[in-house]
Amino acid sequence: MEEVLIVGQGLAGTWLSWWLHQGGIPFKLIDRPNPNGASRRAAGLINPVTGRRIVKTWMIDELLPFARNAYREMENFLGESLMNEVAVIDLFPSVQMLQAFQHRYEQDPAYLALGGDREKYAASFRYDLGWGSIQPCLLVSVEKLLISWRAWLKRSGHLIESDFELNDLVEDSTGIRWSDIHARQIIFADGISSAQNPWFENLPFALNKGEGMLVEIKSLPDNLVYKKGMSLVPYAENIFWLGSSYEWTFENDQPSEKFRKNAESWLRQSLKLPFTILEHFAAIRPATLERRPFVGLHPHNKKIGILNGMGTKGCSLAPYFAKQLIEQITGNGNIEPLADIMRFQNILKRHPF
Ligand SMILES: Cc1cc2nc3c(=O)[nH]c(=O)nc-3n(C[C@H](O)[C@H](O)[C@H](O)COP(=O)(O)OP(=O)(O)OC[C@H]3O[C@@H](n4cnc5c(N)ncnc54)[C@H](O)[C@@H]3O)c2cc1C
């Protein structure tokens, strides 16, 4: 009998399975490969400041050092480089953004530095209002990490490559059964699928579409992230991830003509270097109305749990809250109340079937 059955191997399922393995707890993970899952398309950036007013990201003073250690440990285990420390060069796109940066710097300079030489990036970019930098940020090679961890899951007999069907889930007195698997608990780390799971569909999900591109740009130094409204993030040798959009209402999950035009015009207007667009993609973020994750065992059925709602911040939230969820399961700790799904105990259904 397994202790835990995980559904999904995006960032959430990857980190859950990592901590289970670290704790020596038997588990299996079911995932259907999806090259356009949110994690597979993420830029991989952990940015300690956010939004138009450059406010500190929620819990970042704890999340960033935790993530740094967790990704380093996984790097050592897998024997691959998966994370770098980087600075984001913020080429101010408007007077408002310049003023917001300066104001925030005067109030609290944490994670910010004012730009020195104004022309420092002028060989590569067009910008009139100067720049500042945001640091330290972490840049995770998410796709590489997911592929590498999946290969380990497969080798070690933990992975079931399959579509999970909720109809096939059966509860018994000791736990749950799915196909020939018997486990004490099942944890849904299945991204946007949970928004249609009768156990969790009442949670205030607010799915959000994001589009991006992979762009070849030779001779742009790839040790920095460049941001001017849109961001150019190092992805592979001479290749940058460009994005992204944030759409709360959308008709489908496909790349759109509108984003392609905007991105092309951004590249022509902001970048002075030649570029080639290699790929255009779209993915749906499992975002939430209050911008806080959904973590924990179901308030009315402790055999079922969830790690979800990572929104735009899966790289920093997943390692930290996966650990908290495992600690809850093993009776060794509690979940941060603002992330715990206990806060929705009144709207979560007792018996959805
Ligand atoms: C364009 C874009 C850019 C982003 N950039 C960043 C960034 O720079 N930094 C950051 O921190 N975050 C970023 N994000 C957000 C981040 O990607 C998400 O927060 C995170 O990926 C969510 O991970 P997840 O594991 O919850 O879901 P997912 O990545 O969606 O993983 C869910 C997994 O479950 C599987 N699954 C679902 N249903 C089933 C089923 N029935 N049976 C079997 N398997 C199933 C899916 O195939 C998938 O593998 C970005 C997102 C997008 C779209």
Side-chain angles (χ1 to χ4, degrees), residues 7-14 30-34 37-46 142 146 150 162-165 189-194 208-212 241 244-245 281-286 307-318:
V7 185
Q9 195 239 332
L11 281 161
T14 293
I30 305 172
D31 185 77
R32 66 164 173 241
N34 176 8
S39 304
R40 287 296 278 260
R41 291 310 194 172
L45 192 63
I46 300 183
V142 184
L146 295 178
R150 189 181 193 87
S162 167
D163 229 323
F164 174 85
E165 285 290 341
D190 53 355
I192 59 172
S193 295
S194 273
N208 181 289
K209 180 175 174 182
E211 294 186 52
W241 180 107
S244 70
S245 59
F281 53 81
I284 311 292
R285 302 177 180 93
L307 180 66
N308 211 312
M310 306 282 153
T312 57
K313 307 214 162 16
C315 293
S316 55
L317 297 176

Side-chain angles (χ1 to χ4, degrees), residues 191-192 194-197 199-208 248 285-295 306 308-311 338-349:
I192 59 172
S194 273
Q196 276 153 20
N197 178 330
W199 285 99
F200 296 112
E201 65 190 359
N202 282 357
L203 291 174
F205 279 99
L207 306 185
N208 181 289
W248 300 103
R285 302 177 180 93
T288 73
L289 267 187
E290 359 139 84
R291 294 168 201 242
R292 297 288 174 264
F294 299 145
V295 189
I306 188 167
N308 211 312
M310 306 282 153
L338 288 172
D340 194 338
I341 53 159
M342 205 55 191
R343 69 197 192 277
F344 299 113
Q345 64 171 320
N346 293 337
I347 60 167
L348 284 169
K349 292 178 191 161

Side-chain angles (χ1 to χ4, degrees), residues 43-105:
L45 192 63
I46 300 183
N47 186 337
V49 301
T50 188
R52 289 183 183 279
R53 291 198 287 148
I54 329 242
V55 291
K56 253 204 237 180
T57 310
W58 180 60
M59 285 185 65
I60 197 65
D61 294 340
E62 261 174 278
L63 295 176
L64 193 133
F66 186 93
R68 185 190 280 120
N69 288 339
Y71 284 104
R72 283 278 174 259
E73 278 177 38
M74 197 182 271
E75 266 185 342
N76 291 338
F77 182 85
L78 294 171
E80 279 200 74
S81 164
L82 299 171
M83 182 200 66
N84 286 311
E85 209 150 295
V86 291
V88 172
I89 303 305
D90 197 351
L91 306 161
F92 303 125
S94 65
V95 174
Q96 289 89 327
M97 290 307 286
L98 161 67
Q99 288 172 341
F101 193 99
Q102 286 171 334
H103 181 70
R104 169 53 171 74
Y105 183 81

Side-chain angles (χ1 to χ4, degrees), residues 10-305:
L11 281 161
T14 293
W15 281 106
L16 271 175
S17 50
W18 168 259
W19 295 120
L20 286 169
H21 173 62
Q22 295 298 99
I25 301 167
F27 71 91
K28 286 270 191 292
L29 186 152
I30 305 172
D31 185 77
R32 66 164 173 241
N34 176 8
N36 286 316
S39 304
R40 287 296 278 260
R41 291 310 194 172
L45 192 63
I46 300 183
N47 186 337
V49 301
T50 188
R52 289 183 183 279
R53 291 198 287 148
I54 329 242
V55 291
K56 253 204 237 180
T57 310
W58 180 60
M59 285 185 65
I60 197 65
D61 294 340
E62 261 174 278
L63 295 176
L64 193 133
F66 186 93
R68 185 190 280 120
N69 288 339
Y71 284 104
R72 283 278 174 259
E73 278 177 38
M74 197 182 271
E75 266 185 342
N76 291 338
F77 182 85
L78 294 171
E80 279 200 74
S81 164
L82 299 171
M83 182 200 66
N84 286 311
E85 209 150 295
V86 291
V88 172
I89 303 305
D90 197 351
L91 306 161
F92 303 125
S94 65
V95 174
Q96 289 89 327
M97 290 307 286
L98 161 67
Q99 288 172 341
F101 193 99
Q102 286 171 334
H103 181 70
R104 169 53 171 74
Y105 183 81
E106 282 157 20
Q107 304 287 312
D108 173 9
Y111 301 113
L112 303 184
L114 294 174
D117 174 8
R118 220 182 142 87
E119 300 303 311
K120 190 163 179 185
Y121 302 103
S124 309
F125 291 96
R126 289 184 193 86
Y127 58 98
D128 305 322
L129 299 165
W131 58 277
S133 90
I134 303 166
Q135 61 203 44
C137 301
L138 302 180
L139 182 58
V140 181
S141 305
V142 184
E143 196 180 6
K144 201 167 147 193
L145 178 151
L146 295 178
I147 291 171
S148 191
W149 182 244
R150 189 181 193 87
W152 180 84
L153 288 170
K154 212 169 180 168
R155 276 200 309 277
S156 56
H158 289 95
L159 180 70
I160 301 153
E161 282 191 329
S162 167
D163 229 323
F164 174 85
E165 285 290 341
L166 197 61
N167 289 339
D168 301 335
L169 184 70
V170 180
E171 257 188 275
D172 66 20
S173 57
T174 51
I176 57 95
R177 286 180 189 275
W178 188 84
S179 183
D180 57 354
I181 299 165
H182 190 197
R184 273 187 219 292
Q185 273 151 332
I186 180 165
I187 308 293
F188 290 93
D190 53 355
I192 59 172
S193 295
S194 273
Q196 276 153 20
N197 178 330
W199 285 99
F200 296 112
E201 65 190 359
N202 282 357
L203 291 174
F205 279 99
L207 306 185
N208 181 289
K209 180 175 174 182
E211 294 186 52
M213 285 179 165
L214 293 182
V215 186
E216 185 182 51
I217 309 169
K218 291 181 181 145
S219 70
L220 182 62
D222 64 1
N223 55 346
L224 294 169
V225 173
Y226 307 90
K227 178 165 178 266
K228 191 183 165 207
M230 292 242 228
S231 297
L232 271 176
V233 182
Y235 177 81
E237 199 181 344
N238 293 332
I239 301 178
F240 287 78
W241 180 107
L242 170 69
S244 70
S245 59
Y246 301 87
E247 292 166 62
W248 300 103
T249 49
F250 48 90
E251 280 165 16
N252 57 48
D253 60 2
Q254 295 303 304
S256 71
E257 186 67 8
K258 183 177 161 208
F259 179 86
R260 191 186 57 74
K261 282 190 178 150
N262 284 347
E264 275 182 11
S265 110
W266 185 91
L267 283 164
R268 274 194 299 271
Q269 281 167 20
S270 300
L271 190 69
K272 290 182 175 170
L273 304 170
F275 64 87
T276 310
I277 294 172
L278 304 176
E279 199 184 338
H280 174 191
F281 53 81
I284 311 292
R285 302 177 180 93
T288 73
L289 267 187
E290 359 139 84
R291 294 168 201 242
R292 297 288 174 264
F294 299 145
V295 189
L297 297 177
H298 197 288
H300 309 301
N301 186 341
K302 299 295 176 204
K303 291 175 194 155
I304 296 178

